Amino acid sequence: MKVALAFSGGLDTSVCLRILQEKYEAEVVTVTANVGQNPEKLKKAEEKAKELGTIKHFSFDLSKEFVEKYIFKSIKANGIYEDYPLSTALARYPIAAKLVEIAKNEDVDAVAHGCTGKGNDQFRFDTTIALKAPDMKIIAPVREMNLDRKWEIKYAKDHNIPIPVDIDKPYSIDENLWGRSIEGGKLEDPKTEPPEEIFELTSAPSEAPKEPQKVEIGFEGGTPIELNGNKKDGATLIKELNQIAGKHGVGRIDTIEDRALGLKSREIYEAPAATVLLKAHKGLEQLVLTREELKFKESVEGLWSDLVYRGMWFDPLREDLDAFVDKTQKRVVGKIKVKVDHGSATVVSRESPFSLHEPELVSFDKFGFDQRGSASAIKFQALQGRLYRKLGE
Ligand code: ARG
């Protein structure tokens, strides 16, 4: 049997590689993708895969695709599930899609991943595989063998699998351009405050620079294209903004999340750039979209984020919803200033050629329109209520 394994080089996927060889008697092809982590990691994963006897290793830098085809869509849809800007969720799709592509090219008998049976990533992998290769067999050794971390660490030691140096830190960490997630260990207890040591992208808000900083984001068609007046490609813009906002302590999220299976889980995220960009984007939409559009779009955003969280990126409904979102984004053009200051990010200035804000009409200082007309509009608003009250209720 020949299997293509999504391989990050972490504990789960390293153990899976060996289990696939030993227990499933498979020859394993490994696929590693970069979605904006430290590029060192790609090299390390490749070395490890070779050490563990991969028959062929594939390495891909998917950062550009991740930003342009996934993150930008999520900004347009104001993608947030509960309090979570969907960083891990979004990144699983280009990885799973690549895995399927390699599986087809290499003519394998099955694809494999290292997801556990408790989390959301299994939904994202399995559903993407099912939608892109309906007859493909899926092997998920950690889930199938009901493994836990302790067992995996012992197995790794017994089988000479090099395990990451930070293995005594009990946290499970996932990182990409759009954010970093920290779970597990003592964080599993919702009573426990997150210790400062878990954070890497953000300063403690109390340690942030004294002076606030303003960042200006330029949008075109709902997509951020400029940072402080300079045109940037998406990955660079997000990286630079992660640094600026992170330094000011922006983007720490500590929340109880409802996983796809219904489990409640304590989640900590750092997402400085995502926090600023989502606020800026929403700030611009408030200026240019009509009240009715904003209201309807909010319900679309909720549905969109749910789909993305639960593994259904490649479901036709996500594309249908994006058709609506894309139409609204034509006018989401302009500049937004966000002030970052000791952990907060606040929109302080907005401008757009498509602004629906009319100073002449709304100003306290100007005549604008004949106010007397308002009274009759309001009278009709109360029409049915008045009839109801007259009944003596
Ligand atoms: N709760 C987040 C999600 O479902 C983060 C998951 C992190 N995944 C991981 N394998 N550590 O997207």
Side-chain angles (χ1 to χ4, degrees):
M1 174 162 76
K2 190 167 155 192
V3 176
L5 167 70
F7 183 78
S8 69
L11 176 68
D12 290 320
T13 57
S14 302
V15 166
C16 284
L17 174 41
R18 194 35 62 79
I19 291 177
L20 286 168
Q21 294 161 331
E22 286 195 348
K23 186 169 175 291
Y24 294 79
E25 293 172 9
E27 292 190 310
V28 185
V29 171
T30 40
V31 183
T32 304
N34 176 35
V35 277
Q37 310 89 325
N38 187 345
E40 280 280 289
K41 283 208 175 144
L42 265 191
K43 268 241 114 2
K44 284 210 174 121
E46 177 164 354
E47 284 163 16
K48 204 162 173 189
K50 289 188 173 152
E51 221 177 299
L52 293 172
T54 180
I55 59 161
K56 201 165 178 187
H57 182 77
F58 294 88
S59 228
F60 297 98
D61 187 354
L62 302 180
S63 318
K64 190 172 152 62
E65 179 187 342
F66 177 43
V67 172
E68 291 173 4
K69 295 206 185 137
Y70 297 86
I71 295 180
F72 282 172
K73 281 197 159 56
S74 197
I75 294 174
K76 293 182 195 180
N78 294 318
I80 292 199
Y81 175 82
E82 299 181 344
D83 291 332
Y84 165 46
L86 296 169
S87 43
T88 297
L90 289 164
R92 292 306 183 220
Y93 298 106
I95 299 172
K98 204 49 161 184
L99 179 67
V100 172
E101 188 189 310
I102 296 298
K104 287 183 178 166
N105 289 344
E106 294 295 311
D107 202 20
V108 299
D109 305 292
V111 293
H113 58 68
C115 301
T116 71
K118 291 188 170 180
N120 300 313
D121 288 329
Q122 54 177 341
F123 284 79
R124 299 160 189 157
F125 270 100
D126 285 11
T127 309
T128 299
I129 296 160
L131 292 176
K132 291 206 162 267
D135 300 317
M136 184 71 78
K137 183 170 159 28
I138 301 172
I139 305 177
V142 178
R143 180 174 66 193
E144 283 170 26
M145 295 171 64
N146 208 11
L147 306 181
D148 63 23
R149 210 172 148 83
K150 255 203 193 129
W151 188 97
E152 290 181 44
I153 292 175
K154 180 160 186 318
Y155 181 89
K157 286 189 175 148
D158 294 348
H159 290 77
N160 287 326
I161 300 171
I163 48 182
V165 273
D166 55 358
I167 200 78
D168 339 316
K169 290 209 187 117
Y171 307 115
S172 165
I173 291 168
D174 182 64
E175 184 174 353
N176 64 52
L177 270 172
W178 203 225
R180 182 167 175 270
S181 115
I182 314 107
E183 304 171 305
K186 57 185 170 197
L187 301 174
E188 285 179 357
D189 181 350
K191 278 204 307 291
T192 306
E193 281 185 41
E196 200 48 44
E197 62 171 28
I198 66 169
F199 297 107
E200 269 184 18
L201 306 180
T202 54
S203 317
S206 56
E207 303 291 314
K210 228 172 154 174
E211 289 303 317
Q213 193 172 339
K214 281 174 210 151
V215 285
E216 187 187 71
I217 319 285
F219 285 92
E220 190 71 53
T223 299
I225 53 155
E226 262 178 35
L227 181 61
N228 295 328
N230 302 310
K231 284 230 172 349
K232 309 258 175 196
D233 69 89
T236 310
L237 188 147
I238 291 168
K239 269 187 212 151
E240 291 186 12
L241 198 52
N242 266 332
Q243 289 203 335
I244 300 172
K247 184 176 76 191
H248 286 270
V250 167
R252 290 189 177 186
I253 300 157
D254 179 346
T255 186
I256 301 292
E257 190 171 292
D258 294 289
R259 288 195 188 160
L261 279 175
L263 305 172
K264 283 200 184 282
S265 110
R266 200 290 182 77
E267 301 282 335
I268 313 261
Y269 302 104
E270 298 181 275
T275 302
V276 171
L277 288 172
L278 289 169
K279 278 206 177 173
H281 179 260
K282 231 175 174 164
L284 184 52
E285 284 190 330
Q286 288 170 346
L287 190 66
V288 301
L289 299 186
T290 66
R291 169 169 68 180
E292 319 308 324
E293 284 177 308
L294 286 169
K295 190 139 189 110
F296 183 71
K297 187 165 181 285
E298 213 171 280
S299 62
V300 169
E301 290 165 3
L303 258 176
W304 192 96
S305 301
D306 255 38
L307 286 176
V308 173
Y309 186 77
R310 290 191 291 113
M312 313 226 316
W313 178 273
F314 292 103
D315 190 273
L317 178 59
R318 199 269 309 154
E319 289 170 13
D320 301 338
L321 297 178
D322 269 336
F324 163 76
V325 171
D326 280 343
K327 167 73 169 53
T328 64
Q329 297 302 292
K330 297 215 165 88
R331 284 172 286 138
V332 183
V333 176
K335 292 188 191 335
I336 297 287
K337 270 195 200 124
V338 179
K339 185 170 82 177
V340 287
D341 182 14
H342 293 93
S344 76
T346 318
V347 173
V348 290
S349 157
R350 40 320 241 162
E351 63 175 284
S352 169
F354 298 104
S355 171
L356 301 179
H357 177 269
E358 185 44 80
E360 285 287 323
L361 289 179
V362 75
S363 173
F364 285 110
D365 304 325
K366 291 191 177 128
F367 188 63
F369 69 100
D370 188 344
Q371 299 170 47
R372 285 170 294 190
S374 295
S376 44
I378 297 165
K379 240 187 223 156
F380 283 95
Q381 165 162 279
L383 179 77
Q384 295 193 351
R386 272 164 65 209
L387 292 170
Y388 167 81
R389 289 291 172 204
K390 273 191 184 161
L391 293 174
E393 294 293 327

